[in-house]
mmCIF file of all heavy atoms in Angstrom:
data_model
loop_
_atom_site.group_PDB
_atom_site.id
_atom_site.type_symbol
_atom_site.label_atom_id
_atom_site.label_comp_id
_atom_site.label_asym_id
_atom_site.label_seq_id
_atom_site.Cartn_x
_atom_site.Cartn_y
_atom_site.Cartn_z
ATOM 1 N N VAL A 164 18.074 96.407 153.569
ATOM 2 C CA VAL A 164 19.170 96.840 152.710
ATOM 3 C C VAL A 164 18.778 96.581 151.270
ATOM 4 O O VAL A 164 18.400 95.477 150.899
ATOM 5 C CB VAL A 164 20.451 96.067 153.073
ATOM 6 C CG1 VAL A 164 21.592 96.507 152.180
ATOM 7 C CG2 VAL A 164 20.794 96.294 154.531
ATOM 8 N N ASP A 165 18.868 97.597 150.407
ATOM 9 C CA ASP A 165 18.320 97.502 149.068
ATOM 10 C C ASP A 165 19.336 97.098 148.018
ATOM 11 O O ASP A 165 18.974 96.681 146.932
ATOM 12 C CB ASP A 165 17.700 98.854 148.662
ATOM 13 C CG ASP A 165 16.472 99.178 149.495
ATOM 14 O OD1 ASP A 165 15.741 98.235 149.836
ATOM 15 O OD2 ASP A 165 16.263 100.352 149.782
ATOM 16 N N THR A 166 20.621 97.274 148.284
ATOM 17 C CA THR A 166 21.624 96.959 147.271
ATOM 18 C C THR A 166 22.719 96.123 147.869
ATOM 19 O O THR A 166 23.101 96.305 149.017
ATOM 20 C CB THR A 166 22.237 98.248 146.683
ATOM 21 O OG1 THR A 166 22.814 99.017 147.740
ATOM 22 C CG2 THR A 166 21.194 99.064 145.961
ATOM 23 N N ALA A 167 23.244 95.190 147.071
ATOM 24 C CA ALA A 167 24.349 94.356 147.523
ATOM 25 C C ALA A 167 25.653 95.003 147.097
ATOM 26 O O ALA A 167 25.808 95.435 145.971
ATOM 27 C CB ALA A 167 24.244 92.953 146.915
ATOM 28 N N SER A 168 26.610 95.046 148.024
ATOM 29 C CA SER A 168 27.912 95.626 147.716
ATOM 30 C C SER A 168 28.729 94.675 146.890
ATOM 31 O O SER A 168 28.669 93.464 147.048
ATOM 32 C CB SER A 168 28.657 95.941 149.028
ATOM 33 O OG SER A 168 30.004 96.210 148.775
ATOM 34 N N ALA A 169 29.540 95.248 146.002
ATOM 35 C CA ALA A 169 30.436 94.406 145.212
ATOM 36 C C ALA A 169 31.604 93.916 146.033
ATOM 37 O O ALA A 169 32.360 93.061 145.597
ATOM 38 C CB ALA A 169 30.958 95.197 144.005
ATOM 39 N N GLY A 170 31.751 94.431 147.233
ATOM 40 C CA GLY A 170 32.926 94.090 148.040
ATOM 41 C C GLY A 170 32.612 93.180 149.184
ATOM 42 O O GLY A 170 33.131 93.352 150.272
ATOM 43 N N THR A 171 31.739 92.207 149.003
ATOM 44 C CA THR A 171 31.372 91.329 150.101
ATOM 45 C C THR A 171 32.182 90.055 150.146
ATOM 46 O O THR A 171 31.949 89.212 150.990
ATOM 47 C CB THR A 171 29.886 90.947 150.015
ATOM 48 O OG1 THR A 171 29.637 90.369 148.740
ATOM 49 C CG2 THR A 171 29.009 92.172 150.201
ATOM 50 N N GLY A 172 33.116 89.856 149.244
ATOM 51 C CA GLY A 172 33.947 88.665 149.302
ATOM 52 C C GLY A 172 34.847 88.697 150.504
ATOM 53 O O GLY A 172 35.257 89.749 150.982
ATOM 54 N N ARG A 173 35.191 87.524 151.031
ATOM 55 C CA ARG A 173 35.994 87.450 152.236
ATOM 56 C C ARG A 173 37.476 87.426 151.897
ATOM 57 O O ARG A 173 37.903 86.758 150.971
ATOM 58 C CB ARG A 173 35.645 86.188 153.034
ATOM 59 C CG ARG A 173 34.185 86.090 153.393
ATOM 60 C CD ARG A 173 33.722 87.228 154.255
ATOM 61 N NE ARG A 173 34.380 87.157 155.543
ATOM 62 C CZ ARG A 173 34.137 87.997 156.520
ATOM 63 N NH1 ARG A 173 33.300 88.988 156.366
ATOM 64 N NH2 ARG A 173 34.762 87.874 157.660
ATOM 65 N N THR A 174 38.260 88.135 152.675
ATOM 66 C CA THR A 174 39.697 88.099 152.481
ATOM 67 C C THR A 174 40.196 86.676 152.660
ATOM 68 O O THR A 174 39.883 86.013 153.645
ATOM 69 C CB THR A 174 40.387 89.021 153.512
ATOM 70 O OG1 THR A 174 39.869 90.334 153.341
ATOM 71 C CG2 THR A 174 41.881 89.007 153.335
ATOM 72 N N GLY A 175 40.986 86.219 151.700
ATOM 73 C CA GLY A 175 41.566 84.882 151.834
ATOM 74 C C GLY A 175 40.748 83.783 151.223
ATOM 75 O O GLY A 175 41.100 82.626 151.381
ATOM 76 N N THR A 176 39.652 84.093 150.531
ATOM 77 C CA THR A 176 38.835 83.033 149.967
ATOM 78 C C THR A 176 38.946 82.953 148.457
ATOM 79 O O THR A 176 38.267 82.154 147.844
ATOM 80 C CB THR A 176 37.356 83.225 150.340
ATOM 81 O OG1 THR A 176 36.897 84.470 149.805
ATOM 82 C CG2 THR A 176 37.173 83.220 151.838
ATOM 83 N N SER A 177 39.773 83.771 147.847
ATOM 84 C CA SER A 177 39.936 83.705 146.401
ATOM 85 C C SER A 177 40.832 82.544 146.037
ATOM 86 O O SER A 177 41.547 82.002 146.873
ATOM 87 C CB SER A 177 40.570 85.011 145.905
ATOM 88 O OG SER A 177 41.889 85.110 146.384
ATOM 89 N N PRO A 178 40.817 82.105 144.763
ATOM 90 C CA PRO A 178 41.719 81.045 144.359
ATOM 91 C C PRO A 178 43.168 81.350 144.677
ATOM 92 O O PRO A 178 43.927 80.462 145.072
ATOM 93 C CB PRO A 178 41.468 80.944 142.843
ATOM 94 C CG PRO A 178 40.060 81.409 142.671
ATOM 95 C CD PRO A 178 39.874 82.472 143.707
ATOM 96 N N ALA A 179 43.574 82.601 144.545
ATOM 97 C CA ALA A 179 44.963 82.942 144.816
ATOM 98 C C ALA A 179 45.331 82.723 146.264
ATOM 99 O O ALA A 179 46.465 82.400 146.596
ATOM 100 C CB ALA A 179 45.219 84.405 144.429
ATOM 101 N N ALA A 180 44.348 82.882 147.144
ATOM 102 C CA ALA A 180 44.633 82.723 148.563
ATOM 103 C C ALA A 180 44.671 81.272 148.985
ATOM 104 O O ALA A 180 45.036 80.952 150.103
ATOM 105 C CB ALA A 180 43.575 83.474 149.386
ATOM 106 N N THR A 181 44.257 80.365 148.122
ATOM 107 C CA THR A 181 44.258 78.947 148.463
ATOM 108 C C THR A 181 45.115 78.164 147.480
ATOM 109 O O THR A 181 44.781 77.060 147.072
ATOM 110 C CB THR A 181 42.823 78.393 148.464
ATOM 111 O OG1 THR A 181 42.227 78.674 147.192
ATOM 112 C CG2 THR A 181 41.995 79.010 149.552
ATOM 113 N N GLY A 182 46.201 78.780 147.072
ATOM 114 C CA GLY A 182 47.116 78.079 146.186
ATOM 115 C C GLY A 182 46.583 77.919 144.790
ATOM 116 O O GLY A 182 47.011 77.035 144.055
ATOM 117 N N GLY A 183 45.606 78.749 144.379
ATOM 118 C CA GLY A 183 45.067 78.683 143.030
ATOM 119 C C GLY A 183 43.998 77.638 142.847
ATOM 120 O O GLY A 183 43.502 77.450 141.745
ATOM 121 N N ASP A 184 43.612 76.941 143.884
ATOM 122 C CA ASP A 184 42.606 75.882 143.772
ATOM 123 C C ASP A 184 41.312 76.359 144.409
ATOM 124 O O ASP A 184 41.196 76.397 145.627
ATOM 125 C CB ASP A 184 43.106 74.622 144.482
ATOM 126 C CG ASP A 184 42.139 73.462 144.334
ATOM 127 O OD1 ASP A 184 41.058 73.664 143.751
ATOM 128 O OD2 ASP A 184 42.469 72.370 144.801
ATOM 129 N N PRO A 185 40.301 76.719 143.619
ATOM 130 C CA PRO A 185 39.061 77.233 144.214
ATOM 131 C C PRO A 185 38.260 76.177 144.940
ATOM 132 O O PRO A 185 37.304 76.507 145.627
ATOM 133 C CB PRO A 185 38.291 77.771 143.004
ATOM 134 C CG PRO A 185 38.814 76.993 141.844
ATOM 135 C CD PRO A 185 40.257 76.724 142.147
ATOM 136 N N LEU A 186 38.614 74.907 144.779
ATOM 137 C CA LEU A 186 37.896 73.857 145.509
ATOM 138 C C LEU A 186 38.604 73.468 146.789
ATOM 139 O O LEU A 186 38.099 72.648 147.554
ATOM 140 C CB LEU A 186 37.731 72.614 144.632
ATOM 141 C CG LEU A 186 36.930 72.807 143.342
ATOM 142 C CD1 LEU A 186 36.706 71.467 142.677
ATOM 143 C CD2 LEU A 186 35.621 73.494 143.600
ATOM 144 N N ALA A 187 39.769 74.032 147.030
ATOM 145 C CA ALA A 187 40.494 73.715 148.261
ATOM 146 C C ALA A 187 39.794 74.357 149.439
ATOM 147 O O ALA A 187 39.158 75.397 149.304
ATOM 148 C CB ALA A 187 41.930 74.223 148.173
ATOM 149 N N PRO A 188 39.894 73.744 150.622
ATOM 150 C CA PRO A 188 39.258 74.345 151.790
ATOM 151 C C PRO A 188 39.827 75.727 152.046
ATOM 152 O O PRO A 188 41.022 75.949 151.901
ATOM 153 C CB PRO A 188 39.611 73.380 152.935
ATOM 154 C CG PRO A 188 39.980 72.103 152.268
ATOM 155 C CD PRO A 188 40.581 72.487 150.947
ATOM 156 N N ALA A 189 38.969 76.662 152.419
ATOM 157 C CA ALA A 189 39.436 78.003 152.758
ATOM 158 C C ALA A 189 40.206 77.944 154.067
ATOM 159 O O ALA A 189 40.005 77.051 154.887
ATOM 160 C CB ALA A 189 38.248 78.948 152.893
ATOM 161 N N PRO A 190 41.115 78.895 154.300
ATOM 162 C CA PRO A 190 41.901 78.874 155.523
ATOM 163 C C PRO A 190 41.014 78.939 156.747
ATOM 164 O O PRO A 190 39.997 79.630 156.753
ATOM 165 C CB PRO A 190 42.763 80.146 155.403
ATOM 166 C CG PRO A 190 42.754 80.495 153.959
ATOM 167 C CD PRO A 190 41.452 80.009 153.420
ATOM 168 N N ASP A 191 41.405 78.214 157.796
ATOM 169 C CA ASP A 191 40.677 78.294 159.046
ATOM 170 C C ASP A 191 40.825 79.690 159.630
ATOM 171 O O ASP A 191 41.799 80.384 159.408
ATOM 172 C CB ASP A 191 41.221 77.285 160.076
ATOM 173 C CG ASP A 191 40.858 75.873 159.686
ATOM 174 O OD1 ASP A 191 39.982 75.718 158.818
ATOM 175 O OD2 ASP A 191 41.447 74.947 160.245
ATOM 176 N N ALA A 192 39.835 80.102 160.406
ATOM 177 C CA ALA A 192 39.896 81.396 161.070
ATOM 178 C C ALA A 192 39.280 81.267 162.441
ATOM 179 O O ALA A 192 38.356 80.510 162.647
ATOM 180 C CB ALA A 192 39.150 82.451 160.257
ATOM 181 N N ALA A 193 39.818 82.009 163.386
ATOM 182 C CA ALA A 193 39.339 81.912 164.755
ATOM 183 C C ALA A 193 37.944 82.494 164.860
ATOM 184 O O ALA A 193 37.647 83.529 164.294
ATOM 185 C CB ALA A 193 40.279 82.670 165.694
ATOM 186 N N ALA A 194 37.082 81.821 165.588
ATOM 187 C CA ALA A 194 35.735 82.340 165.791
ATOM 188 C C ALA A 194 35.785 83.529 166.731
ATOM 189 O O ALA A 194 36.565 83.568 167.667
ATOM 190 C CB ALA A 194 34.840 81.251 166.393
ATOM 191 N N VAL A 195 34.928 84.521 166.464
ATOM 192 C CA VAL A 195 34.843 85.684 167.327
ATOM 193 C C VAL A 195 33.828 85.402 168.412
ATOM 194 O O VAL A 195 32.678 85.106 168.121
ATOM 195 C CB VAL A 195 34.420 86.921 166.520
ATOM 196 C CG1 VAL A 195 34.307 88.128 167.428
ATOM 197 C CG2 VAL A 195 35.425 87.185 165.415
ATOM 198 N N PRO A 196 34.213 85.441 169.673
ATOM 199 C CA PRO A 196 33.262 85.128 170.739
ATOM 200 C C PRO A 196 32.167 86.154 170.820
ATOM 201 O O PRO A 196 32.385 87.347 170.614
ATOM 202 C CB PRO A 196 34.135 85.150 172.009
ATOM 203 C CG PRO A 196 35.287 86.034 171.658
ATOM 204 C CD PRO A 196 35.534 85.812 170.185
ATOM 205 N N ALA A 197 30.950 85.696 171.107
ATOM 206 C CA ALA A 197 29.817 86.603 171.232
ATOM 207 C C ALA A 197 29.892 87.336 172.558
ATOM 208 O O ALA A 197 30.280 86.771 173.576
ATOM 209 C CB ALA A 197 28.498 85.827 171.148
ATOM 210 N N ALA A 198 29.522 88.606 172.548
ATOM 211 C CA ALA A 198 29.502 89.374 173.786
ATOM 212 C C ALA A 198 28.257 89.023 174.578
ATOM 213 O O ALA A 198 27.221 88.702 174.013
ATOM 214 C CB ALA A 198 29.506 90.861 173.468
#
């Protein structure tokens, strides 16, 4: 892959998604089981 997309940030990892604190732990998320 030759170019990085500008849209690779994860939903819920911005400061706004963590109460405005970028050092706060990101929300937990369920692991996707491997097939």
Side-chain angles (χ1 to χ4, degrees):
V164 180
D165 293 325
T166 58
S168 167
T171 56
R173 303 299 294 182
T174 302
T176 61
S177 67
T181 55
D184 183 356
L186 299 187
D191 289 345
V195 179

